[in-house]
Amino acid sequence: MSPNRRYFLKQTGYATLAAPSGAFSDQKLFAQTSNKGTQPAPENSAPMNDRRIGYCIVGLGRISMGEFMPGVRLSKQSRIVALVSGHRPKAERMATDYGVSPKAIYDYDNYDTIRHNPEIDAVYIALPNGMHAEYTIRAAHAGKHVLCEKPMANSIKECEQMIAACKQANRKLMIAYRCQYEPTNLKAIELLRNGYIGEIIALESSNGFNIHPGEWRLNKKLAGGGPLMDTGIYSLQATRYLTGEEPKEVQAYSSVIDHDGRFNEVEETVVWSMRFPSGVLANCATTYGSSFIGSKVRVIGSKGELKLDPAFGYQELHLSGQAQGKSPLDIAFDNPAPRQFTTEADYFSGCILENKEPKTNGDEGLRDERIMTAIYQSCGSGKPIRLSA
Ligand code: NAD
């Protein structure tokens, strides 16, 4: 067997999110030593049930129309039953395309009347970040479960209000951290927990893109911040789920190099370091100023290294690794877009149907918000910020 061979692992529903059991057995990947992380690799099984959860899509933009709705179309557990948009002709086109009744098209003013539509079990919030809290809280008051896009909100206070509103209404709240349901990232977690690279020593991660002027992402009120809130959050998430630890200290710097008007309200670039309780160190970078940063993670271990490159895209993610005494790894799952969104929607539908708490619940979104707040504090003060456990 070629040590450099690439594994193409076919995803056919939930059961194949982990590699087929025999796929790596000849490579002795799973050493007995466990890593420093205490959190077990998360389960990704979504319960199957005959009933489909009805979603109301809130905000018809790129992520909802380009990925989430096509993802739900492939689902056996979820369906689209209502739309919320400020643009009626666009909503009518999408309603025709997805078989949604024109009576189930709402706007931002009459949004609260979704409470009277029993077909709607849950809302999917795909609005600018600064609107997540309001539309989550209004959905909870209307008695609907909430799947909210990342970042959860613009502030710790908003996150706490969202959690409280959903708790009070006895509705579930999940943050759409799709990478925590994605097979390549899950495989990396599994390999790390099983000690493939020995003890984790350090991680590096980067994510970003070159932003066009005029985007709401450059408006502080709508975005909450710059690339940290939008793309850096993927690197932050990865350091947490790959180590299974929570950082105890951050030190960060931000800068604006392109004085072309795009970055009058938010930062262009943030780099930050984190210390974890076990001693693991992480270095991350995120920018809106370059298309060449890529979405990458490198995990350095005492006996090897793992790389995810690309790590966070919608498809064609790639995991590679090498470790002492083990064959090199080269793994790419056959999981074309928009399947990550099918998996994510169906996972949340399963949680609703089986009354299970989502693994990326509001508390998980709040944890990131606290760390990002500390990162911004460190950018402002130039000092490291300690995080409470
Ligand atoms: P977008 O600009 O394409 O869509 C935003 C939608 O909100 C549009 O339909 C727009 O009309 C509507 N809207 C309502 N009020 C608005 C206002 N005041 N200003 C601007 N738009 C307004 O944005 P997007 O890229 O789809 O991002 C939406 C959310 O999804 C963000 O929170 C973003 O972080 C998140 N997102 C997640 C992923 C992922 O992979 N999970 C990817 C991209 C975006």
Side-chain angles (χ1 to χ4, degrees):
M1 181 187 309
S2 158
N4 289 319
R5 72 183 181 178
R6 172 176 271 211
Y7 290 94
F8 286 94
L9 303 172
K10 194 100 182 151
Q11 185 190 351
T12 51
Y14 313 109
T16 53
L17 285 170
S21 57
F24 303 105
S25 55
D26 57 337
Q27 296 189 38
K28 298 194 177 75
L29 292 181
F30 304 118
Q32 292 306 304
T33 51
S34 70
N35 236 315
K36 291 166 185 165
T38 49
Q39 199 175 295
E43 284 178 34
N44 202 45
S45 60
M48 293 303 285
N49 190 303
D50 285 345
R51 192 164 93 76
R52 285 181 186 218
I53 291 298
Y55 283 87
C56 172
I57 308 298
V58 187
L60 297 179
R62 281 162 290 189
I63 196 67
S64 56
M65 293 198 300
E67 303 296 332
F68 187 82
M69 294 173 73
V72 171
R73 208 201 282 275
L74 299 176
S75 159
K76 291 192 171 61
Q77 194 98 75
S78 315
R79 65 193 179 114
I80 294 162
V81 297
L83 307 171
V84 178
S85 173
H87 195 276
R88 181 84 197 185
K90 178 169 65 176
E92 282 173 356
R93 277 198 310 276
M94 296 306 283
T96 304
D97 197 6
Y98 282 85
V100 171
S101 162
K103 287 186 193 146
I105 299 175
Y106 302 85
D107 60 30
Y108 298 109
D109 292 329
N110 68 15
Y111 173 61
D112 307 280
T113 63
I114 62 171
R115 75 170 66 243
H116 303 304
N117 186 338
E119 284 218 298
I120 302 172
D121 299 293
V123 300
Y124 167 67
I125 295 179
L127 294 167
N129 311 339
M131 300 171 74
H132 291 183
E134 178 189 340
Y135 284 84
T136 293
I137 292 165
R138 285 169 69 181
H141 289 167
K144 308 302 179 186
H145 302 285
V146 179
L147 174 57
C148 178
E149 265 304 341
K150 44 59 59 181
M152 184 169 172
N154 278 6
S155 69
I156 292 169
K157 189 175 170 201
E158 284 182 348
C159 293
E160 288 171 343
Q161 289 169 340
M162 291 160 78
I163 292 168
C166 291
K167 193 172 174 191
Q168 199 172 14
N170 195 24
R171 299 293 85 180
K172 297 199 185 299
L173 171 59
M174 172 166 147
I175 310 306
Y177 285 133
R178 60 182 165 75
C179 292
Q180 291 212 37
Y181 305 93
E182 185 283 318
T184 324
N185 280 272
L186 288 174
K187 190 73 209 168
I189 295 171
E190 183 188 316
L191 287 162
L192 293 168
R193 297 292 186 279
N194 285 295
Y196 174 69
I197 62 166
E199 300 285 307
I200 301 175
I201 305 293
L203 300 92
E204 298 167 348
S205 180
S206 57
N207 195 22
F209 63 96
N210 202 5
I211 199 163
H212 290 293
E215 274 265 356
W216 62 259
R217 285 173 166 80
L218 298 169
N219 174 312
K220 181 85 191 285
K221 190 161 174 266
L222 288 172
L228 177 63
M229 302 289 285
D230 188 27
T231 51
I233 192 170
Y234 288 89
S235 293
L236 172 57
Q237 271 273 299
T239 62
R240 293 180 50 241
Y241 58 69
L242 292 174
T243 60
E245 292 189 58
E246 297 301 328
K248 64 174 189 177
E249 189 172 281
V250 299
Q251 166 91 60
Y253 299 96
S254 65
S255 75
V256 175
I257 291 174
D258 291 322
H259 293 283
D260 54 12
R262 289 180 297 170
F263 305 111
N264 291 344
E265 295 192 24
V266 301
E267 79 278 358
E268 179 178 5
T269 302
V270 183
V271 297
W272 74 97
S273 302
M274 291 181 286
R275 291 203 298 136
F276 290 83
S278 64
V280 170
L281 301 175
N283 247 334
C284 303
T286 186
T287 189
Y288 274 164
S290 172
S291 309
F292 298 96
I293 185 168
S295 84
K296 302 174 199 284
V297 179
R298 179 173 177 228
V299 190
I300 302 155
S302 56
K303 294 181 182 164
E305 69 164 1
L306 270 190
K307 284 184 191 168
L308 284 152
D309 183 8
F312 313 126
Y314 300 148
Q315 62 182 4
E316 295 179 359
L317 304 190
H318 181 212
L319 175 65
S320 61
Q322 52 186 355
Q324 280 169 20
K326 292 166 186 163
S327 301
L329 279 178
D330 196 355
I331 299 173
F333 287 85
D334 181 14
N335 194 34
R339 287 214 172 267
Q340 285 188 44
F341 294 84
T342 313
T343 307
E344 176 183 83
D346 281 351
Y347 174 83
F348 189 50
S349 296
C351 289
I352 294 167
L353 289 164
E354 306 288 322
N355 193 22
K356 280 171 61 170
E357 184 66 6
K359 74 182 170 193
T360 57
N361 61 10
D363 292 339
E364 175 71 355
L366 174 59
R367 276 181 214 112
D368 283 337
E369 198 79 34
R370 287 205 167 104
I371 300 165
M372 291 191 295
T373 301
I375 289 170
Y376 281 128
Q377 277 171 1
S378 179
C379 289
S381 68
K383 296 192 173 129
I385 306 289
R386 284 193 73 81
L387 293 152
S388 49

